[in-house]
Tab-separated table of all heavy atoms in Angstrom:
chain	number	residue	atom	x	y	z
W	888	MET	N	14.328	7.508	-21.488
W	888	MET	CA	14.095	6.212	-20.998
W	888	MET	C	13.504	5.324	-22.169
W	888	MET	O	12.717	5.804	-22.954
W	888	MET	CB	13.144	6.173	-19.867
W	888	MET	CG	13.708	6.612	-18.545
W	888	MET	SD	12.467	6.342	-17.278
W	888	MET	CE	13.475	5.634	-16.010
W	889	LEU	N	13.828	4.119	-22.157
W	889	LEU	CA	13.248	3.166	-23.083
W	889	LEU	C	11.842	2.813	-22.759
W	889	LEU	O	11.445	2.842	-21.582
W	889	LEU	CB	14.086	1.900	-23.192
W	889	LEU	CG	15.530	2.088	-23.683
W	889	LEU	CD1	16.306	0.798	-23.524
W	889	LEU	CD2	15.559	2.490	-25.109
W	890	PRO	N	10.997	2.600	-23.733
W	890	PRO	CA	9.559	2.211	-23.440
W	890	PRO	C	9.468	1.022	-22.545
W	890	PRO	O	8.584	0.905	-21.668
W	890	PRO	CB	8.998	1.964	-24.814
W	890	PRO	CG	9.808	2.693	-25.768
W	890	PRO	CD	11.200	2.761	-25.146
W	891	THR	N	10.413	0.058	-22.709
W	891	THR	CA	10.397	-1.183	-21.871
W	891	THR	C	10.663	-0.857	-20.395
W	891	THR	O	10.046	-1.404	-19.539
W	891	THR	CB	11.446	-2.178	-22.360
W	891	THR	OG1	11.301	-2.422	-23.718
W	891	THR	CG2	11.452	-3.497	-21.567
W	892	THR	N	11.487	0.071	-20.206
W	892	THR	CA	11.873	0.537	-18.824
W	892	THR	C	10.663	1.169	-18.167
W	892	THR	O	10.299	0.916	-17.028
W	892	THR	CB	13.054	1.518	-18.787
W	892	THR	OG1	14.183	0.932	-19.505
W	892	THR	CG2	13.516	1.808	-17.386
W	893	LEU	N	9.951	1.983	-18.936
W	893	LEU	CA	8.722	2.668	-18.408
W	893	LEU	C	7.633	1.683	-18.136
W	893	LEU	O	6.943	1.787	-17.048
W	893	LEU	CB	8.190	3.703	-19.399
W	893	LEU	CG	9.147	4.963	-19.608
W	893	LEU	CD1	8.528	5.791	-20.759
W	893	LEU	CD2	9.218	5.702	-18.302
W	894	ILE	N	7.446	0.651	-18.952
W	894	ILE	CA	6.526	-0.369	-18.693
W	894	ILE	C	6.843	-1.126	-17.461
W	894	ILE	O	5.948	-1.427	-16.596
W	894	ILE	CB	6.413	-1.326	-19.964
W	894	ILE	CG1	5.771	-0.582	-21.119
W	894	ILE	CG2	5.551	-2.550	-19.597
W	894	ILE	CD1	5.792	-1.280	-22.412
W	895	LEU	N	8.085	-1.510	-17.312
W	895	LEU	CA	8.507	-2.264	-16.132
W	895	LEU	C	8.315	-1.442	-14.830
W	895	LEU	O	7.884	-1.924	-13.833
W	895	LEU	CB	9.926	-2.769	-16.232
W	895	LEU	CG	10.150	-3.821	-17.275
W	895	LEU	CD1	11.644	-4.125	-17.399
W	895	LEU	CD2	9.486	-5.101	-16.916
W	896	ALA	N	8.631	-0.138	-14.925
W	896	ALA	CA	8.493	0.766	-13.800
W	896	ALA	C	6.995	0.817	-13.420
W	896	ALA	O	6.605	0.773	-12.262
W	896	ALA	CB	9.033	2.125	-14.047
W	897	GLY	N	6.124	0.983	-14.450
W	897	GLY	CA	4.731	1.047	-14.194
W	897	GLY	C	4.172	-0.218	-13.614
W	897	GLY	O	3.298	-0.213	-12.694
W	898	MET	N	4.620	-1.354	-14.040
W	898	MET	CA	4.148	-2.605	-13.507
W	898	MET	C	4.610	-2.787	-12.099
W	898	MET	O	3.880	-3.293	-11.196
W	898	MET	CB	4.698	-3.809	-14.381
W	898	MET	CG	4.018	-3.906	-15.779
W	898	MET	SD	4.689	-5.146	-16.827
W	898	MET	CE	4.596	-6.610	-15.874
W	899	LEU	N	5.822	-2.323	-11.743
W	899	LEU	CA	6.309	-2.450	-10.407
W	899	LEU	C	5.466	-1.561	-9.437
W	899	LEU	O	5.131	-1.969	-8.332
W	899	LEU	CB	7.823	-1.970	-10.278
W	899	LEU	CG	8.424	-1.955	-8.940
W	899	LEU	CD1	8.501	-3.427	-8.347
W	899	LEU	CD2	9.779	-1.284	-9.004
W	900	ILE	N	5.125	-0.363	-9.892
W	900	ILE	CA	4.301	0.535	-9.083
W	900	ILE	C	2.883	-0.078	-8.921
W	900	ILE	O	2.294	-0.052	-7.844
W	900	ILE	CB	4.184	1.897	-9.756
W	900	ILE	CG1	5.511	2.618	-9.655
W	900	ILE	CG2	3.105	2.759	-9.133
W	900	ILE	CD1	5.643	3.871	-10.529
W	901	LEU	N	2.377	-0.718	-9.991
W	901	LEU	CA	1.074	-1.364	-9.875
W	901	LEU	C	1.083	-2.507	-8.885
W	901	LEU	O	0.150	-2.642	-8.043
W	901	LEU	CB	0.637	-1.835	-11.212
W	901	LEU	CG	-0.732	-2.588	-11.295
W	901	LEU	CD1	-1.882	-1.647	-10.963
W	901	LEU	CD2	-0.965	-3.171	-12.670
W	902	VAL	N	2.107	-3.328	-8.921
W	902	VAL	CA	2.232	-4.423	-7.969
W	902	VAL	C	2.338	-3.949	-6.533
W	902	VAL	O	1.736	-4.514	-5.622
W	902	VAL	CB	3.371	-5.343	-8.356
W	902	VAL	CG1	3.704	-6.372	-7.254
W	902	VAL	CG2	3.110	-6.095	-9.694
W	903	MET	N	3.119	-2.924	-6.374
W	903	MET	CA	3.274	-2.330	-5.024
W	903	MET	C	1.964	-1.741	-4.518
W	903	MET	O	1.615	-1.888	-3.303
W	903	MET	CB	4.388	-1.287	-5.015
W	903	MET	CG	5.764	-1.846	-5.195
W	903	MET	SD	7.050	-0.592	-5.251
W	903	MET	CE	6.836	0.348	-3.805
W	904	ASP	N	1.198	-1.157	-5.397
W	904	ASP	CA	-0.099	-0.627	-5.041
W	904	ASP	C	-1.042	-1.717	-4.601
W	904	ASP	O	-1.731	-1.548	-3.619
W	904	ASP	CB	-0.720	0.234	-6.129
W	904	ASP	CG	-0.052	1.519	-6.373
W	904	ASP	OD1	0.764	1.935	-5.500
W	904	ASP	OD2	-0.374	2.178	-7.407
W	905	ILE	N	-1.108	-2.770	-5.427
W	905	ILE	CA	-1.991	-3.909	-5.063
W	905	ILE	C	-1.581	-4.510	-3.726
W	905	ILE	O	-2.430	-4.831	-2.914
W	905	ILE	CB	-1.939	-4.894	-6.220
W	905	ILE	CG1	-2.625	-4.359	-7.463
W	905	ILE	CG2	-2.643	-6.190	-5.811
W	905	ILE	CD1	-2.477	-5.189	-8.682
W	906	LEU	N	-0.269	-4.723	-3.482
W	906	LEU	CA	0.165	-5.252	-2.226
W	906	LEU	C	-0.219	-4.372	-1.004
W	906	LEU	O	-0.644	-4.803	-0.034
W	906	LEU	CB	1.685	-5.506	-2.264
W	906	LEU	CG	2.132	-6.674	-3.144
W	906	LEU	CD1	3.686	-6.709	-3.168
W	906	LEU	CD2	1.545	-8.007	-2.673
W	907	ALA	N	-0.035	-3.045	-1.215
W	907	ALA	CA	-0.348	-2.124	-0.173
W	907	ALA	C	-1.868	-2.123	0.072
W	907	ALA	O	-2.286	-2.112	1.242
W	907	ALA	CB	0.124	-0.729	-0.545
W	908	ILE	N	-2.730	-2.124	-0.923
W	908	ILE	CA	-4.107	-2.161	-0.674
W	908	ILE	C	-4.477	-3.422	0.010
W	908	ILE	O	-5.368	-3.512	0.878
W	908	ILE	CB	-4.894	-1.963	-2.006
W	908	ILE	CG1	-4.729	-0.493	-2.460
W	908	ILE	CG2	-6.395	-2.292	-1.864
W	908	ILE	CD1	-5.205	-0.210	-3.910
W	909	ALA	N	-3.958	-4.610	-0.418
W	909	ALA	CA	-4.238	-5.851	0.277
W	909	ALA	C	-3.850	-5.792	1.739
W	909	ALA	O	-4.584	-6.278	2.593
W	909	ALA	CB	-3.523	-6.952	-0.448
W	910	SER	N	-2.740	-5.176	1.993
W	910	SER	CA	-2.319	-5.090	3.362
W	910	SER	C	-3.158	-4.134	4.175
W	910	SER	O	-3.524	-4.483	5.330
W	910	SER	CB	-0.846	-4.396	3.393
W	910	SER	OG	-0.443	-4.256	4.691
W	911	VAL	N	-3.701	-3.092	3.560
W	911	VAL	CA	-4.640	-2.238	4.236
W	911	VAL	C	-5.927	-3.002	4.590
W	911	VAL	O	-6.421	-2.902	5.693
W	911	VAL	CB	-5.002	-1.006	3.377
W	911	VAL	CG1	-6.222	-0.263	3.896
W	911	VAL	CG2	-3.822	-0.052	3.275
W	912	LEU	N	-6.418	-3.770	3.616
W	912	LEU	CA	-7.689	-4.495	3.887
W	912	LEU	C	-7.521	-5.606	4.926
W	912	LEU	O	-8.459	-5.947	5.576
W	912	LEU	CB	-8.157	-5.152	2.518
W	912	LEU	CG	-8.618	-4.090	1.507
W	912	LEU	CD1	-8.942	-4.807	0.171
W	912	LEU	CD2	-9.825	-3.304	1.954
W	913	MET	N	-6.303	-6.190	5.074
W	913	MET	CA	-6.124	-7.200	6.044
W	913	MET	C	-5.807	-6.631	7.401
W	913	MET	O	-5.647	-7.352	8.371
W	913	MET	CB	-5.019	-8.148	5.630
W	913	MET	CG	-5.445	-9.016	4.432
W	913	MET	SD	-4.184	-10.265	4.033
W	913	MET	CE	-2.801	-9.309	3.614
W	914	GLY	N	-5.617	-5.342	7.465
W	914	GLY	CA	-5.219	-4.633	8.762
W	914	GLY	C	-6.333	-4.670	9.743
W	914	GLY	O	-7.440	-5.107	9.514
W	915	ILE	N	-6.007	-4.240	11.004
W	915	ILE	CA	-6.957	-4.268	12.099
W	915	ILE	C	-7.642	-2.982	12.303
W	915	ILE	O	-8.520	-2.902	13.170
W	915	ILE	CB	-6.236	-4.645	13.428
W	915	ILE	CG1	-5.092	-3.638	13.764
W	915	ILE	CG2	-5.619	-6.062	13.283
W	915	ILE	CD1	-4.557	-3.834	15.078
W	916	HIS	N	-7.448	-1.981	11.422
W	916	HIS	CA	-8.105	-0.722	11.581
W	916	HIS	C	-9.582	-0.749	11.155
W	916	HIS	O	-10.013	-1.759	10.606
W	916	HIS	CB	-7.395	0.323	10.733
W	916	HIS	CG	-6.000	0.581	11.122
W	916	HIS	ND1	-5.635	1.120	12.339
W	916	HIS	CD2	-4.793	0.311	10.467
W	916	HIS	CE1	-4.347	1.202	12.437
W	916	HIS	NE2	-3.774	0.670	11.255
W	917	GLY	N	-10.308	0.287	11.584
W	917	GLY	CA	-11.675	0.411	11.177
W	917	GLY	C	-11.874	0.663	9.737
W	917	GLY	O	-10.911	0.870	8.923
W	918	VAL	N	-13.115	0.805	9.334
W	918	VAL	CA	-13.484	1.008	7.923
W	918	VAL	C	-12.962	2.371	7.398
W	918	VAL	O	-12.357	2.459	6.279
W	918	VAL	CB	-14.994	0.923	7.697
W	918	VAL	CG1	-15.367	1.289	6.308
W	918	VAL	CG2	-15.520	-0.489	8.079
W	919	MET	N	-13.192	3.421	8.149
W	919	MET	CA	-12.812	4.768	7.653
W	919	MET	C	-11.308	4.920	7.497
W	919	MET	O	-10.866	5.436	6.431
W	919	MET	CB	-13.394	5.832	8.626
W	919	MET	CG	-13.475	7.157	7.990
W	919	MET	SD	-14.537	7.017	6.543
W	919	MET	CE	-14.729	8.660	6.139
W	920	PRO	N	-10.465	4.540	8.435
W	920	PRO	CA	-9.029	4.566	8.127
W	920	PRO	C	-8.621	3.784	6.909
W	920	PRO	O	-7.751	4.189	6.170
W	920	PRO	CB	-8.401	4.062	9.459
W	920	PRO	CG	-9.384	4.247	10.461
W	920	PRO	CD	-10.690	4.081	9.846
W	921	LYS	N	-9.239	2.632	6.704
W	921	LYS	CA	-8.888	1.812	5.590
W	921	LYS	C	-9.272	2.539	4.262
W	921	LYS	O	-8.480	2.522	3.329
W	921	LYS	CB	-9.664	0.448	5.613
W	921	LYS	CG	-9.077	-0.512	6.626
W	921	LYS	CD	-9.843	-1.794	6.648
W	921	LYS	CE	-9.349	-2.802	7.662
W	921	LYS	NZ	-9.977	-4.086	7.679
W	922	LEU	N	-10.477	3.127	4.215
W	922	LEU	CA	-10.857	3.916	3.031
W	922	LEU	C	-9.914	5.072	2.766
W	922	LEU	O	-9.588	5.373	1.597
W	922	LEU	CB	-12.363	4.388	3.185
W	922	LEU	CG	-13.394	3.307	3.143
W	922	LEU	CD1	-14.732	3.939	3.388
W	922	LEU	CD2	-13.384	2.637	1.803
W	923	ILE	N	-9.471	5.749	3.835
W	923	ILE	CA	-8.560	6.890	3.658
W	923	ILE	C	-7.246	6.417	3.077
W	923	ILE	O	-6.643	6.939	2.152
W	923	ILE	CB	-8.395	7.621	4.964
W	923	ILE	CG1	-9.724	8.351	5.352
W	923	ILE	CG2	-7.250	8.624	4.834
W	923	ILE	CD1	-9.706	8.932	6.763
W	924	TRP	N	-6.686	5.306	3.632
W	924	TRP	CA	-5.473	4.737	3.103
W	924	TRP	C	-5.513	4.329	1.678
W	924	TRP	O	-4.676	4.580	0.856
W	924	TRP	CB	-4.890	3.627	4.001
W	924	TRP	CG	-4.135	4.064	5.147
W	924	TRP	CD1	-4.484	3.898	6.491
W	924	TRP	CD2	-2.851	4.745	5.166
W	924	TRP	NE1	-3.469	4.474	7.226
W	924	TRP	CE2	-2.525	5.077	6.484
W	924	TRP	CE3	-2.058	5.237	4.102
W	924	TRP	CZ2	-1.299	5.718	6.771
W	924	TRP	CZ3	-0.921	5.943	4.464
W	924	TRP	CH2	-0.565	6.154	5.782
W	925	ILE	N	-6.599	3.594	1.351
W	925	ILE	CA	-6.893	3.135	-0.017
W	925	ILE	C	-6.896	4.348	-0.942
W	925	ILE	O	-6.371	4.319	-2.070
W	925	ILE	CB	-8.069	2.222	-0.151
W	925	ILE	CG1	-7.765	0.888	0.553
W	925	ILE	CG2	-8.464	1.970	-1.572
W	925	ILE	CD1	-8.950	0.028	0.748
W	926	ALA	N	-7.668	5.397	-0.630
W	926	ALA	CA	-7.789	6.571	-1.477
W	926	ALA	C	-6.457	7.235	-1.633
W	926	ALA	O	-6.126	7.648	-2.721
W	926	ALA	CB	-8.821	7.542	-0.790
W	927	LEU	N	-5.637	7.301	-0.576
W	927	LEU	CA	-4.353	7.834	-0.673
W	927	LEU	C	-3.402	7.048	-1.615
W	927	LEU	O	-2.711	7.662	-2.422
W	927	LEU	CB	-3.715	7.957	0.700
W	927	LEU	CG	-2.315	8.640	0.801
W	927	LEU	CD1	-2.519	10.196	0.433
W	927	LEU	CD2	-1.800	8.570	2.244
W	928	ILE	N	-3.526	5.752	-1.517
W	928	ILE	CA	-2.705	4.865	-2.349
W	928	ILE	C	-3.111	4.995	-3.820
W	928	ILE	O	-2.264	5.006	-4.719
W	928	ILE	CB	-2.817	3.424	-1.812
W	928	ILE	CG1	-2.054	3.276	-0.498
W	928	ILE	CG2	-2.145	2.417	-2.890
W	928	ILE	CD1	-2.309	1.998	0.182
W	929	VAL	N	-4.416	5.103	-4.077
W	929	VAL	CA	-4.872	5.221	-5.418
W	929	VAL	C	-4.609	6.568	-6.043
W	929	VAL	O	-4.174	6.639	-7.209
W	929	VAL	CB	-6.404	4.902	-5.522
W	929	VAL	CG1	-6.977	5.213	-6.855
W	929	VAL	CG2	-6.649	3.400	-5.164
W	930	LEU	N	-4.746	7.594	-5.244
W	930	LEU	CA	-4.553	8.955	-5.799
W	930	LEU	C	-3.080	9.338	-5.917
W	930	LEU	O	-2.720	10.076	-6.858
W	930	LEU	CB	-5.296	10.014	-4.925
W	930	LEU	CG	-6.818	9.871	-4.921
W	930	LEU	CD1	-7.424	10.860	-3.942
W	930	LEU	CD2	-7.345	10.114	-6.325
W	931	LEU	N	-2.264	8.866	-5.075
W	931	LEU	CA	-0.831	9.127	-5.022
W	931	LEU	C	-0.060	7.835	-4.962
W	931	LEU	O	0.427	7.448	-3.911
W	931	LEU	CB	-0.385	10.011	-3.863
W	931	LEU	CG	-1.121	11.416	-3.780
W	931	LEU	CD1	-0.841	12.060	-2.449
W	931	LEU	CD2	-0.699	12.257	-4.919
W	932	PRO	N	0.033	7.069	-5.994
W	932	PRO	CA	0.530	5.664	-5.959
W	932	PRO	C	1.917	5.497	-5.235
W	932	PRO	O	2.064	4.736	-4.393
W	932	PRO	CB	0.648	5.248	-7.436
W	932	PRO	CG	-0.262	6.146	-8.146
W	932	PRO	CD	-0.347	7.454	-7.422
W	933	ILE	N	2.920	6.262	-5.604
W	933	ILE	CA	4.222	6.079	-5.137
W	933	ILE	C	4.312	6.658	-3.707
W	933	ILE	O	4.792	5.993	-2.757
W	933	ILE	CB	5.278	6.787	-6.023
W	933	ILE	CG1	5.271	6.108	-7.353
W	933	ILE	CG2	6.648	6.684	-5.360
W	933	ILE	CD1	6.075	6.806	-8.428
W	934	VAL	N	3.819	7.866	-3.515
W	934	VAL	CA	3.868	8.554	-2.197
W	934	VAL	C	2.949	7.813	-1.152
W	934	VAL	O	3.357	7.570	-0.020
W	934	VAL	CB	3.496	10.079	-2.335
W	934	VAL	CG1	3.397	10.701	-0.943
W	934	VAL	CG2	4.484	10.756	-3.213
W	935	GLY	N	1.739	7.425	-1.662
W	935	GLY	CA	0.838	6.722	-0.788
W	935	GLY	C	1.366	5.427	-0.246
W	935	GLY	O	1.248	5.053	0.847
W	936	VAL	N	1.936	4.647	-1.111
W	936	VAL	CA	2.551	3.367	-0.740
W	936	VAL	C	3.700	3.556	0.202
W	936	VAL	O	3.750	2.843	1.225
W	936	VAL	CB	3.040	2.535	-1.974
W	936	VAL	CG1	3.842	1.396	-1.526
W	936	VAL	CG2	1.845	2.105	-2.783
W	937	ALA	N	4.475	4.493	-0.072
W	937	ALA	CA	5.651	4.776	0.853
W	937	ALA	C	5.189	5.231	2.212
W	937	ALA	O	5.684	4.733	3.252
W	937	ALA	CB	6.573	5.853	0.213
W	938	MET	N	4.186	6.082	2.228
W	938	MET	CA	3.645	6.583	3.506
W	938	MET	C	3.051	5.472	4.262
W	938	MET	O	3.232	5.347	5.430
W	938	MET	CB	2.650	7.668	3.267
W	938	MET	CG	3.272	8.994	2.899
W	938	MET	SD	2.065	10.283	2.523
W	938	MET	CE	1.085	10.383	4.071
W	939	TYR	N	2.292	4.579	3.584
W	939	TYR	CA	1.551	3.511	4.261
W	939	TYR	C	2.645	2.554	4.943
W	939	TYR	O	2.484	2.191	6.121
W	939	TYR	CB	0.704	2.680	3.376
W	939	TYR	CG	0.069	1.474	4.058
W	939	TYR	CD1	-0.871	1.748	5.093
W	939	TYR	CD2	0.498	0.229	3.814
W	939	TYR	CE1	-1.477	0.650	5.742
W	939	TYR	CE2	-0.063	-0.830	4.518
W	939	TYR	CZ	-0.990	-0.617	5.471
W	939	TYR	OH	-1.581	-1.680	6.174
W	940	PHE	N	3.581	2.124	4.182
W	940	PHE	CA	4.597	1.205	4.738
W	940	PHE	C	5.546	1.754	5.667
W	940	PHE	O	6.136	1.056	6.531
W	940	PHE	CB	5.326	0.484	3.581
W	940	PHE	CG	4.492	-0.574	2.845
W	940	PHE	CD1	4.232	-0.495	1.546
W	940	PHE	CD2	3.993	-1.592	3.557
W	940	PHE	CE1	3.435	-1.395	0.920
W	940	PHE	CE2	3.218	-2.610	2.980
W	940	PHE	CZ	2.949	-2.464	1.602
W	941	LEU	N	5.729	3.088	5.679
W	941	LEU	CA	6.653	3.796	6.664
W	941	LEU	C	5.901	4.197	7.877
W	941	LEU	O	6.425	4.144	8.973
W	941	LEU	CB	7.319	4.982	5.982
W	941	LEU	CG	8.350	4.676	4.900
W	941	LEU	CD1	8.874	5.965	4.229
W	941	LEU	CD2	9.507	3.872	5.478
W	942	ILE	N	4.676	4.652	7.709
W	942	ILE	CA	3.882	5.218	8.873
W	942	ILE	C	3.038	4.223	9.523
W	942	ILE	O	3.012	4.218	10.730
W	942	ILE	CB	3.105	6.496	8.326
W	942	ILE	CG1	4.035	7.582	7.893
W	942	ILE	CG2	2.241	6.999	9.504
W	942	ILE	CD1	3.288	8.718	7.232
W	943	ASP	N	2.225	3.577	8.846
W	943	ASP	CA	1.058	2.841	9.432
W	943	ASP	C	1.343	1.465	9.768
W	943	ASP	O	0.407	0.755	10.234
W	943	ASP	CB	-0.141	2.929	8.496
W	943	ASP	CG	-1.394	2.585	9.255
W	943	ASP	OD1	-1.676	3.182	10.226
W	943	ASP	OD2	-2.108	1.592	8.808
W	944	GLN	N	2.532	0.943	9.734
W	944	GLN	CA	2.783	-0.476	10.098
W	944	GLN	C	3.029	-0.539	11.634
W	944	GLN	O	4.111	-0.401	12.078
W	944	GLN	CB	3.983	-1.043	9.354
W	944	GLN	CG	3.693	-1.216	7.837
W	944	GLN	CD	2.644	-2.234	7.645
W	944	GLN	OE1	2.741	-3.335	8.152
W	944	GLN	NE2	1.676	-1.877	6.878
W	945	SER	N	1.992	-0.727	12.401
W	945	SER	CA	2.056	-0.825	13.789
W	945	SER	C	2.390	-2.273	14.197
W	945	SER	O	2.158	-3.203	13.476
W	945	SER	CB	0.731	-0.429	14.477
W	945	SER	OG	-0.252	-1.382	14.101
W	946	PRO	N	2.982	-2.476	15.411
W	946	PRO	CA	3.254	-3.875	15.857
W	946	PRO	C	2.013	-4.747	15.951
W	946	PRO	O	2.042	-5.919	15.656
W	946	PRO	CB	3.847	-3.675	17.260
W	946	PRO	CG	4.301	-2.288	17.247
W	946	PRO	CD	3.436	-1.441	16.304
W	947	ALA	N	0.840	-4.164	16.244
W	947	ALA	CA	-0.393	-4.937	16.241
W	947	ALA	C	-0.725	-5.453	14.842
W	947	ALA	O	-1.187	-6.598	14.690
W	947	ALA	CB	-1.563	-4.098	16.841
W	948	ASP	N	-0.495	-4.644	13.878
W	948	ASP	CA	-0.746	-5.079	12.447
W	948	ASP	C	0.196	-6.232	12.097
W	948	ASP	O	-0.194	-7.156	11.440
W	948	ASP	CB	-0.588	-3.885	11.490
W	948	ASP	CG	-1.857	-3.052	11.348
W	948	ASP	OD1	-2.873	-3.510	11.825
W	948	ASP	OD2	-1.763	-1.902	10.835
W	949	ALA	N	1.427	-6.068	12.416
W	949	ALA	CA	2.432	-7.103	12.138
W	949	ALA	C	2.077	-8.450	12.819
W	949	ALA	O	2.221	-9.426	12.251
W	949	ALA	CB	3.844	-6.580	12.490
W	950	HIS	N	1.644	-8.298	14.026
W	950	HIS	CA	1.277	-9.451	14.835
W	950	HIS	C	-0.007	-10.162	14.203
W	950	HIS	O	-0.069	-11.387	14.139
W	950	HIS	CB	1.043	-9.133	16.312
W	950	HIS	CG	0.734	-10.373	17.176
W	950	HIS	ND1	1.653	-11.427	17.272
W	950	HIS	CD2	-0.371	-10.717	17.765
W	950	HIS	CE1	1.094	-12.343	18.025
W	950	HIS	NE2	-0.090	-11.957	18.397
W	951	ALA	N	-0.899	-9.333	13.787
W	951	ALA	CA	-2.154	-9.873	13.180
W	951	ALA	C	-1.844	-10.625	11.854
W	951	ALA	O	-2.526	-11.513	11.542
W	951	ALA	CB	-3.145	-8.704	12.987
W	952	LYS	N	-0.827	-10.120	11.164
W	952	LYS	CA	-0.544	-10.779	9.868
W	952	LYS	C	0.157	-12.167	10.052
W	952	LYS	O	0.096	-12.932	9.180
W	952	LYS	CB	0.480	-9.854	9.049
W	952	LYS	CG	-0.281	-8.654	8.571
W	952	LYS	CD	0.688	-7.782	7.782
W	952	LYS	CE	0.066	-6.484	7.346
W	952	LYS	NZ	0.940	-5.606	6.699
W	953	LEU	N	0.795	-12.319	11.198
W	953	LEU	CA	1.402	-13.644	11.442
W	953	LEU	C	0.406	-14.706	11.691
W	953	LEU	O	0.750	-15.889	11.609
W	953	LEU	CB	2.399	-13.437	12.607
W	953	LEU	CG	3.607	-12.589	12.366
W	953	LEU	CD1	4.452	-12.468	13.663
W	953	LEU	CD2	4.446	-13.154	11.216
W	954	ARG	N	-0.824	-14.379	12.115
W	954	ARG	CA	-1.802	-15.382	12.473
W	954	ARG	C	-2.442	-15.948	11.217
W	954	ARG	O	-2.571	-15.622	10.223
W	954	ARG	CB	-2.864	-14.761	13.354
W	954	ARG	CG	-2.321	-14.454	14.673
W	954	ARG	CD	-3.417	-13.995	15.578
W	954	ARG	NE	-2.825	-13.732	16.860
W	954	ARG	CZ	-3.604	-13.401	17.872
W	954	ARG	NH1	-4.834	-13.221	17.747
W	954	ARG	NH2	-3.050	-13.218	19.043
């Protein structure tokens, strides 16, 4: 892979991590679940983001974001 491609991939992962952490912080869950999700996203950036957006997006969270 070219260095430019690696830099772009890293930047994309960083942006996705930041968006996921912001989404966690704006969610309706308590403090402990938020800390667990943030730790998972930071420790496993690609897997953590994928798990958060596939597993934890409840209808209540989606409704809370619309407000």
Side-chain angles (χ1 to χ4, degrees):
M888 287 185 135
L889 297 173
T891 306
T892 306
L893 292 175
I894 291 171
L895 290 175
M898 289 175 56
L899 178 65
I900 292 169
L901 178 65
V902 168
M903 289 176 56
D904 287 349
I905 291 170
L906 290 174
I908 290 171
S910 178
V911 168
L912 292 174
M913 290 187 301
I915 60 172
H916 297 295
V918 173
M919 199 60 171
K921 286 181 181 183
L922 289 175
I923 292 170
W924 275 116
I925 290 171
L927 185 65
I928 291 167
V929 169
L930 294 174
L931 302 169
I933 298 170
V934 175
V936 169
M938 286 176 58
Y939 177 71
F940 285 119
L941 291 174
I942 295 173
D943 197 55
Q944 291 296 307
S945 66
D948 277 345
H950 182 63
K952 288 179 186 176
L953 293 176
R954 291 184 177 183

